[in-house]
């Protein structure tokens, strides 16, 4: 089968390789399929450009990676596929279909199939089935499909042995060709590439939907397997890698072994953790080993400034613990980014103001102030859906600097006003300005940072 995997046109300013599509391409090629990857943001494509690609190259299957803010864009992409290449089969996967499988199929009327959870087992079987003109889909893990007037959803399959997976298809992803617009905004060296070392999340944070894709059980790659991938990336000219796991530091033995092996291998690569690790997992010895092995930056999932909201969201943190853990960074040269969140259901405007004040008093180098989104598959999504509060949701507003949902007791304009104010107060301080200026790598990087900042204030 001739397959195209697509990162759709969207409003994101982050332009980075997709690990998910890279893994899908790799496992599909193992079974003989011809796979290409198209990142529409990287290629600066318009919808007309996308239509020309479909008309010229005649794909059998086109798959889309779909986050919630992609829904309307993907809807437009799908209409183009059905218009330009009616026989092409369309499929979607990723965060949104995993969190709301039935809703995805009902909303995207031109979508033929979707996948929930990890797709590396089911997607090649799906392609094999199509290649053989088969229509027996019930045994394909994670597949979502139409059966008459019904939507059927097969149980997803989570891969126990992550070492059994090939590395992402870096030869068609081409990470060395990506612009200076990475996840996390900053790099020490360029070009960069993302990697994954663990999958799964055992925690119960009510606002997070991460486990809808990777499940609650934690699985880990071996250090040998990770080092092999890093060696290969270095041959492609990659000078820095970003670990996208949110729970990497929750496994002390794994972290220590990884850092010591990096030193032994002498790969001379810098690295960071931009996705937001749990601050309660950090300890001084771990941070020192991370620094020695090339780690220079990490993001911290702090989220709230009050114990009440931390408890309400099952965050399992306290403001006092956050302050204590941040003291560890006095003895290492690792920059910190704090993630904070406004607008959780049940949160008052006063609670949000306390979070803003808390962020301003903490000794962190950067901060990201996000607005709550009821992410499909999260506990809060399920709660709000059961209460009938998200029936007419605007998917185009599912973005960290927009307001996709507001508690009836808080006004949207008050959330946005607070967000703008705290961004300005945080970043317009001499210490922060100097640090940011010292980290800008090029004029293109500067433009990327300004785009992010302006979007936050809009």
């Amino acid at each position: 089968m001739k397959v195209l995997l697509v990162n759709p046109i969207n409003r994101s300013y982050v332009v980075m390789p997709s690990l998910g599509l890279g893994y899908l391409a790799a496992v599909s090629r193992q079974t003989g399929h011809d796979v290409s990857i198209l990142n529409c943001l990287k290629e600066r494509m318009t919808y007309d450009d996308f239509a020309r690609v479909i008309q010229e190259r005649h794909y059998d299957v086109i798959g889309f990676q779909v986050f919630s803010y992609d829904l309307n864009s993907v809807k437009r992409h799908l209409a183009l596929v059905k218009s330009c290449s009616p026989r092409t089969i369309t499929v979607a996967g990723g965060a949104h279909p995993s969190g709301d499988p039935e809703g995805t199929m009902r909303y995207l009327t031109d979508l033929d199939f979707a996948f929930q959870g990890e797709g590396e087992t089911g997607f090649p079987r799906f392609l094999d089935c199509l290649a053989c003109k088969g229509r027996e889909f019930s045994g394909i893990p994670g597949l979502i499909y139409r059966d008459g007037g019904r939507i059927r959803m097969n149980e997803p399959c989570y891969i126990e042995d992550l070492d059994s997976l090939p590395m992402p298809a870096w030869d068609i992803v081409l990470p060395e060709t990506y612009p200076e617009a990475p996840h996390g905004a900053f790099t020490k060296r360029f070009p960069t590439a993302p990697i994954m070392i663990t999958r799964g999340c055992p925690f119960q944070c009510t606002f997070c939907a991460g486990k809808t894709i990777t499940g609650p059980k934690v699985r880990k790659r071996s250090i040998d397997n990770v080092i092999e991938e890093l060696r290969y990336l270095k041959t492609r000219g990659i000078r820095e890698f970003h670990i996208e796991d949110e729970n990497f530091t929750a496994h002390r033995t794994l972290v220590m072994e990884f850092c010591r092996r990096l030193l032994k291998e002498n790969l001379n690569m810098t690295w960071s953790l931009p996705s937001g690790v749990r601050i309660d997992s950090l300890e001084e010895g771990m941070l020192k080993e991370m620094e020695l092995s090339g780690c220079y930056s990490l993001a911290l999932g702090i989220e709230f400034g009050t114990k009440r909201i931390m408890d309400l969201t099952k965050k399992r943190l306290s403001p006092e613990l956050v302050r204590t853990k941040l003291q560890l960074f006095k003895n290492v040269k690792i920059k910190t980014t704090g993630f904070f969140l406004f607008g959780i259901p049940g949160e008052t405007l006063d609670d949000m103001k306390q979070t803003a004040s808390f962020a301003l008093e903490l000794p962190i180098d950067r901060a990201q102030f996000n607005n709550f989104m009821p992410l499909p598959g999260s506990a809060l999504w399920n709660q709000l859906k059961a209460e009938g509060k998200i029936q007419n949701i605007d998917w185009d507003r599912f973005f960290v600097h927009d307001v996709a949902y507001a508690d009836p007791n808080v006004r949207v304009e008050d959330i946005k006003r607070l967000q703008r104010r705290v961004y300005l107060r945080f970043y317009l301080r001499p210490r922060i300005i100097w640090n940011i200026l010292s980290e800008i790598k090029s004029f293109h990087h500067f433009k990327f940072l300004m785009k992010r900042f302006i979007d936050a204030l809009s």
Side-chain angles (χ1 to χ4, degrees):
M1 303 291 284
K2 188 176 180 181
V3 182
L4 178 66
L5 301 177
V6 181
N7 291 113
I9 297 167
N10 60 40
R11 64 180 285 190
S12 178
Y13 34 69
V14 174
V15 186
M16 61 178 280
S18 167
L19 282 173
L21 297 189
Y23 275 112
L24 284 184
V27 295
S28 300
R29 293 200 301 183
Q30 283 185 330
T31 54
H33 301 287
D34 177 11
V35 186
S36 302
I37 292 176
L38 175 64
N39 188 315
C40 292
L41 287 182
K42 175 178 177 283
E43 304 303 329
R44 300 182 179 182
M45 298 189 79
T46 65
Y47 290 102
D48 287 342
D49 295 331
F50 178 76
R52 278 192 290 273
V53 168
I54 303 310
Q55 289 172 324
E56 292 170 1
R57 300 182 188 174
H58 308 292
Y59 294 98
D60 299 307
V61 177
I62 298 180
F64 295 89
Q65 184 176 49
V66 184
F67 293 96
S68 294
Y69 62 72
D70 289 322
L71 271 181
N72 288 326
S73 170
V74 170
K75 197 177 186 73
R76 191 168 172 183
H77 278 283
L78 290 169
L80 288 171
V81 173
K82 293 306 179 185
S83 172
C84 299
S85 182
R87 294 184 180 180
T88 297
I89 293 169
T90 57
V91 59
H96 191 89
S98 295
D100 186 20
E102 185 172 356
T104 299
M105 296 297 286
R106 297 199 185 283
Y107 192 81
L108 299 177
T109 53
D110 285 325
L111 183 65
D112 298 316
F113 299 91
F115 275 90
Q116 57 180 324
E118 295 176 349
E120 290 95 345
T121 299
F123 190 66
R125 293 187 194 176
F126 170 68
L127 295 179
D128 292 345
C129 182
L130 294 178
C132 296
K133 309 298 181 184
R135 301 297 299 176
E136 180 47 58
F137 301 122
S138 60
I140 299 176
L143 185 66
I144 310 160
Y145 58 102
R146 306 178 199 278
D147 183 7
R150 300 180 61 186
I151 294 172
R152 297 196 180 274
M153 297 170 283
N154 299 344
E155 283 294 317
C157 172
Y158 298 104
I159 297 161
E160 288 293 325
D161 179 11
L162 297 182
D163 284 3
S164 67
L165 291 172
M167 70 176 71
W170 292 120
D171 60 310
I172 58 173
V173 173
L174 303 175
E176 67 274 15
T177 66
Y178 272 70
E180 294 169 291
H183 184 195
F186 294 91
T187 60
K188 197 166 187 177
R189 295 177 178 174
F190 200 77
T192 70
I195 68 167
M196 172 281 302
I197 299 178
T198 71
R199 292 188 184 185
C201 180
F203 300 103
Q204 304 298 320
C205 302
T206 60
F207 52 85
C208 181
K211 66 181 63 177
T212 62
I213 298 180
T214 58
K217 182 180 178 181
V218 175
R219 293 140 295 141
K220 310 167 190 175
R221 294 170 65 187
S222 69
I223 300 303
D224 284 344
N225 187 265
V226 178
I227 293 297
E228 180 185 359
E229 182 177 9
L230 293 178
R231 287 192 191 122
Y232 174 77
L233 286 169
K234 183 148 188 179
T235 68
R236 300 198 66 88
I238 298 302
R239 303 173 67 208
E240 176 172 313
F241 61 92
H242 297 165
I243 301 176
E244 295 296 325
D245 312 22
E246 295 181 357
N247 288 308
F248 177 62
T249 58
H251 312 288
R252 184 184 186 279
T253 302
L254 178 71
V255 175
M256 301 298 274
E257 182 185 353
F258 176 69
C259 293
R260 289 165 184 165
R261 184 67 181 276
L262 276 179
L263 285 169
K264 183 180 178 181
E265 294 289 332
N266 195 29
L267 291 174
N268 190 29
M269 298 173 82
T270 48
W271 60 283
S272 70
L273 291 152
S275 287
V277 302
R278 288 191 64 91
I279 193 171
D280 56 345
S281 67
L282 303 177
E283 58 176 47
E284 187 171 9
M286 179 193 294
L287 290 174
K288 286 184 176 179
E289 288 289 336
M290 290 167 62
E291 180 188 19
L292 282 171
S293 67
C295 179
Y296 67 93
S297 175
L298 56 79
L300 304 165
I302 298 169
E303 316 301 355
F304 311 107
T306 69
K307 184 66 163 58
R308 185 180 83 83
I309 303 302
M310 288 178 173
D311 289 344
L312 180 67
T313 57
K314 300 182 180 180
K315 183 64 184 173
R316 290 174 51 182
L317 280 182
S318 69
E320 292 73 26
L321 180 60
V322 171
R323 291 189 181 95
T324 299
K325 289 292 184 178
L326 282 173
Q327 295 304 307
L328 299 174
F329 289 89
K330 287 184 175 181
N331 300 318
V332 294
K333 294 179 180 179
I334 297 178
K335 290 188 179 293
T336 53
T337 300
F339 287 166
F340 300 93
L341 186 59
F342 298 138
I344 286 286
E347 188 179 29
T348 66
L349 186 60
D350 184 62
D351 290 321
M352 297 178 217
K353 289 179 178 178
Q354 289 186 64
T355 293
S357 297
F358 185 55
L360 292 169
E361 73 180 52
L362 294 176
I364 55 178
D365 301 290
R366 299 186 283 266
Q368 184 167 324
F369 300 98
N370 299 335
N371 294 325
F372 169 70
M373 295 174 284
L375 297 173
S378 67
L380 280 172
W381 162 271
N382 294 331
Q383 174 190 323
L384 293 172
K385 190 175 180 181
E387 294 171 354
K389 294 181 177 179
I390 49 175
Q391 293 175 337
N392 298 306
I393 203 154
D394 184 352
W395 299 113
D396 288 337
R397 303 190 74 172
F398 257 64
F399 206 67
V400 293
H401 295 143
D402 212 328
V403 182
Y405 173 87
D407 190 284
N409 297 314
V410 183
R411 298 189 307 169
V412 169
E413 53 266 36
D414 289 336
I415 297 174
K416 276 302 300 181
R417 187 179 299 112
L418 176 62
Q419 184 187 46
R420 293 188 192 101
R421 185 180 300 142
V422 70
Y423 260 121
L424 289 170
R425 289 186 63 192
F426 185 92
Y427 280 101
L428 296 183
R429 293 180 291 179
R431 175 181 71 88
I432 303 298
I433 292 173
W434 176 253
N435 284 340
I436 297 296
L437 290 175
S438 69
E439 292 184 272
I440 294 175
K441 300 301 180 185
S442 67
F443 180 64
H444 290 293
H445 188 210
F446 172 75
K447 288 199 299 182
F448 164 69
L449 294 175
M450 288 304 299
K451 183 177 180 180
R452 287 185 69 142
F453 193 64
I454 291 169
D455 183 77
L457 300 179
S458 63

